Amino acid sequence: MKKTVSLFLVFAITAASLFSCSGKKTNEKSPPMLTYLYNNGEGHQAIGEYIQTALKIAGIKVSLKNQEWGTFLSTRKSGDYVMARSGWLADHSDPITFLDMWVSTSGNNDAGLGKGEHANLGIYDLDLTSYGYDIKVENGRWSDTYDRLISVIGECRDEEKRYLLMHLAEDMIIDTGCIMPLYYYTDIYMVDKSLSGFFTNPLGYKYFMYAKYKSSEPISVSLASEPASMDPALSSTVDSATMLSHLFSGLARWDNIDGKTVITPDSAEALPEGVLNDDGTITYTYRLRPGLKWSDGVPLSAKDFELAWKRAASKELGADYAYMFEGIKGYGTDSDLSVKATDERTLTVTLDRYIPYWNELLAFPAFFPTRADVTADEKWATSASSYVSNGAYKLTRWEHNGRIVLSKNENYHDRDSIIPPSISFYLSDDANNMLTNFKNGTLCLIDNIPTNEIESLKKRYPDEVKTEGQLGTYYVVWNVNAPLTPRDSTRTPEESARADAAIRRAISMLIDRCYICDSLAGGGQVPASSFVAMGIKNPDGSEFYQTAGGKKDYYGYFDTSRDAFGKNVSHALSILKKYYNLEIPRKY
């Protein structure tokens, strides 16, 4: 892997005395000692090492901490970190998928905004009077301002105004400095030339049910390591979502028609338009296909969908994606979620408001059906012997940390269209091992390529290495409850929080995103200047990220061009000098 660094790092120095984020200090004006958390993978490590080197210009020492995927996710969600690598792939094509995850009640809010000590900080403003709302909050808490803004966005039916409000929400997130966007994702993988009929969707899910490998042989692929969960309500990763999309049949599914990925009916006979009610709510009525069955032969009914959705949205389950049901009437209140099976094949759903991406949600794993008698056993989704699904495939073998084998489900309603008799998902995060098994023919697709070999592989396997656009952003997430300045009587908690936010924003400017994309990532990634990813559109067809941060001579919240990097560093150091004693190289 190429390890050269930007020229400015020649001047980097290391401070001798450092303030620890755990609270121990030697000099209250010294820069902090930080720990950067990442999960296994050469690419993640290389970016961590670059950040470690880049921050030396400000005398900030960074230690690196590597964890396997499951532990890494748990550590991040528990808030037991200072800064960590992260990435977010869209759940649908609306900008809100990048924004509603930061409400104080979201399980995906790893930054801790509105949680812990941060929950009580009154430092945020919200003024929506110019948008026609009688809402103005000064020095409010995150829940008083951001959560409220997301709620207003959810109720807004004026698309132009709604998008302006979503830009305002992203403004608030970026202003906290808790998100340090690095690049917009591309999906780079290797696929055997003998595999045809395979497709991906914009969220990064891969579909093999209509693929033909050689003479319709079984397919073996490797996407990632052991999934954190194979329960559709609890799944939160792209690799598990890919497997779940083969195992379950929701009301809708992603399909590929004439080379375009679209949403089509699956367990539902059709995807009807909603009916507007007198109170402004919208009711959808779905009719299930006749004769639907579970993989064990038990008949499937609309009641299974009703109970599955209520389980996924419940406080008791505490699923990360529970908030995706908030558009349904009754969500988060003492009343029942407005989802009801009116007979064996009919399901009615009433939404509080119009949701433009509603059909996409129906194809999302959290909306897949599960059976109440099966999920009553909390361990149902950890073994092939207890796993029951209703999709194109059934789970027939699970060697933990080894492989998951899916076999064609004879009870699936569209079973005659399914081609591979089985799919083996080999579980690994070792990119070099994946590549070896791709080269020797054991695997016909790998979703992780050694970063340092990407360029040579493109030349040697020009038809096998694929790079596609993907709706996602790779970023560094900060724990807002981890102090970057000493906590003492010289500052109020609010003043300290504002100082920490300014420091996080300044540190973000020390990062050369062009270098990361060109020399480390290696997959044609684009430097990110916003959190909402490239590829997410405004109503007029323009890119959402291009209109973020107001009008200027660059897109997004900051200039990521090579020419701007020196100015970014100088500006960052001028801010950091307000809080720390820095020995700045003469160049700056």
Side-chain angles (χ1 to χ4, degrees):
M1 181 176 298
K2 196 173 180 181
K3 298 286 187 179
T4 57
V5 293
S6 303
L7 290 176
F8 90 93
L9 292 177
V10 173
F11 302 97
I13 59 169
T14 304
S17 176
L18 299 165
F19 172 76
S20 169
C21 284
S22 63
K24 183 178 179 182
K25 60 183 180 179
T26 56
N27 177 352
E28 66 179 22
K29 293 289 286 183
S30 295
M33 166 72 81
L34 303 175
T35 298
Y36 182 77
L37 180 69
Y38 69 97
N39 60 294
N40 292 338
E42 289 183 356
H44 302 317
Q45 179 179 343
I47 290 174
E49 289 172 348
Y50 167 72
I51 291 173
Q52 184 181 51
T53 305
L55 268 56
K56 286 182 180 180
I57 189 69
I60 299 175
K61 280 187 175 179
V62 178
S63 62
L64 303 181
K65 186 175 182 179
N66 175 28
Q67 295 179 337
E68 60 85 22
W69 178 242
T71 303
F72 167 75
L73 282 181
S74 297
T75 301
R76 221 174 54 192
K77 290 186 179 301
S78 68
D80 188 21
Y81 75 98
V82 178
M83 59 189 305
R85 92 95 190 158
S86 194
W88 187 254
L89 291 166
D91 301 320
H92 46 79
S93 58
D94 192 274
I96 198 67
T97 185
F98 286 85
L99 305 172
D100 57 9
M101 62 185 286
W102 302 109
V103 297
S104 57
T105 56
S106 170
N108 289 313
N109 177 6
D110 293 352
L113 292 163
K115 300 181 178 183
E117 293 182 4
H118 187 266
N120 300 315
L121 290 173
I123 59 174
Y124 299 102
D125 299 335
L126 180 65
D127 187 351
L128 300 185
T129 55
S130 63
Y131 298 92
Y133 298 94
D134 186 21
I135 298 175
K136 186 173 183 179
V137 181
E138 294 182 353
N139 294 323
R141 297 171 301 174
W142 189 253
S143 59
D144 301 324
T145 54
Y146 190 82
D147 289 9
R148 194 171 184 184
L149 174 57
I150 294 298
S151 178
V152 169
I153 291 169
E155 297 169 359
C156 182
R157 297 183 182 179
D158 180 328
E159 278 296 271
E160 183 178 354
K161 182 184 294 185
R162 180 172 172 270
Y163 273 74
L164 290 174
L165 292 171
M166 286 193 287
H167 276 305
L168 183 60
E170 188 176 22
D171 292 346
M172 288 186 66
I173 294 169
I174 296 298
D175 193 54
T176 69
C178 71
I179 297 299
M180 193 162 85
L182 298 184
Y183 58 74
Y184 302 122
Y185 273 117
T186 54
D187 189 9
I188 182 167
Y189 56 91
M190 292 188 73
V191 58
D192 192 288
K193 288 187 293 185
S194 299
L195 186 68
S196 61
F198 147 81
F199 71 96
T200 67
N201 74 4
L203 314 181
Y205 304 178
K206 294 174 171 60
Y207 296 86
F208 304 98
M209 60 274 287
Y210 309 123
K212 185 176 181 180
Y213 182 54
K214 297 181 179 178
S215 57
S216 300
E217 294 180 7
I219 289 175
S220 295
V221 303
S222 186
L223 306 180
S225 56
E226 178 90 1
S229 178
M230 285 292 285
D231 183 332
L234 297 173
S235 167
S236 60
T237 60
V238 172
D239 54 293
S240 61
T242 291
M243 289 185 276
L244 292 169
S245 295
H246 290 75
L247 287 163
F248 287 87
S249 168
L251 294 178
R253 68 186 179 191
W254 285 93
D255 214 336
N256 187 274
I257 298 176
D258 297 328
K260 295 184 65 175
T261 50
V262 295
I263 298 293
T264 61
D266 197 0
S267 284
E269 289 185 329
L271 299 177
E273 294 292 326
V275 176
L276 180 64
N277 302 312
D278 292 340
D279 62 356
T281 61
I282 299 174
T283 297
Y284 291 85
T285 301
Y286 298 98
R287 186 73 172 163
L288 299 185
R289 298 177 188 273
L292 295 180
K293 293 182 180 180
W294 291 98
S295 56
D296 60 359
V298 173
L300 184 149
S301 72
K303 193 69 175 180
D304 293 322
F305 275 92
E306 175 190 336
L307 296 179
W309 288 17
K310 289 179 177 179
R311 170 179 177 263
S314 69
K315 293 180 181 179
E316 290 75 18
L317 188 65
D320 287 348
Y321 281 114
Y323 66 88
M324 295 187 75
F325 293 85
E326 67 181 1
I328 300 177
K329 184 179 178 181
Y331 173 81
T333 66
D334 292 334
S335 60
D336 234 1
L337 196 69
S338 188
V339 179
K340 186 172 181 60
T342 57
D343 61 41
E344 288 296 302
R345 290 179 55 200
T346 306
L347 185 75
T348 63
V349 187
T350 299
L351 307 185
D352 281 326
R353 60 189 184 276
Y354 170 67
I355 298 177
Y357 48 91
W358 175 245
N359 283 348
E360 289 188 43
L361 291 184
L362 297 179
F364 190 76
F367 288 79
F368 289 165
T370 51
R371 210 169 76 211
D373 66 306
V374 174
T375 60
D377 180 356
E378 293 182 356
K379 296 182 179 180
W380 77 275
T382 62
S383 171
S385 62
S386 56
Y387 205 90
V388 177
S389 60
N390 73 317
Y393 290 84
K394 55 187 177 181
L395 202 162
T396 53
R397 188 170 183 175
W398 191 342
E399 302 164 9
H400 287 281
N401 298 304
R403 65 172 173 161
I404 288 176
V405 180
L406 312 186
S407 300
K408 192 173 178 178
N409 178 15
E410 63 275 9
N411 290 318
Y412 180 52
H413 70 84
D414 194 25
R415 57 188 173 276
D416 293 339
S417 299
I418 305 307
I419 296 176
S422 66
I423 308 171
S424 293
F425 291 90
Y426 284 83
L427 308 174
S428 173
D429 57 9
D430 186 336
N432 290 299
N433 179 262
M434 287 185 188
L435 180 59
T436 297
N437 284 292
F438 180 85
K439 289 179 177 179
N440 66 27
T442 301
L443 300 173
C444 62
L445 182 143
I446 57 174
D447 211 19
N448 193 358
I449 306 174
T451 307
N452 61 329
E453 294 199 43
I454 290 176
E455 291 306 315
S456 62
L457 289 170
K458 286 180 179 178
K459 296 175 182 178
R460 186 175 177 184
Y461 299 94
D463 297 324
E464 286 90 347
V465 177
K466 306 292 184 180
T467 302
E468 299 179 5
Q470 197 170 17
L471 303 181
T473 304
Y474 187 105
Y475 61 98
V476 175
V477 61
W478 292 83
N479 178 1
V480 296
N481 286 302
L484 298 178
T485 53
R487 296 309 193 236
D488 53 38
S489 59
T490 61
R491 288 196 188 100
T492 66
E494 290 74 20
E495 289 171 336
S496 293
R498 290 189 177 97
D500 287 352
I503 291 167
R504 290 191 292 265
R505 294 194 302 269
I507 288 176
S508 180
M509 293 295 97
L510 299 177
I511 304 302
D512 185 348
R513 290 158 175 82
C514 288
Y515 170 75
I516 289 176
C517 291
D518 294 345
S519 302
L520 300 180
Q525 293 84 351
V526 176
S529 57
S530 67
F531 180 56
V532 177
M534 174 184 289
I536 300 288
K537 305 287 188 178
N538 289 309
D540 64 3
S542 62
E543 295 269 2
F544 190 86
Y545 88 98
Q546 293 178 343
T547 52
K551 293 183 178 180
K552 55 185 78 69
D553 57 359
Y554 54 85
Y555 295 139
Y557 292 92
F558 45 84
D559 192 344
T560 62
S561 67
R562 290 179 178 82
D563 293 341
F565 182 57
K567 294 179 181 178
N568 289 344
V569 172
S570 296
H571 179 63
L573 294 176
S574 68
I575 293 172
L576 293 172
K577 283 193 293 185
K578 298 176 183 178
Y579 303 100
Y580 306 129
N581 289 327
L582 302 180
E583 295 180 37
I584 307 300
R586 184 173 299 176
K587 178 179 178 180
Y588 296 100

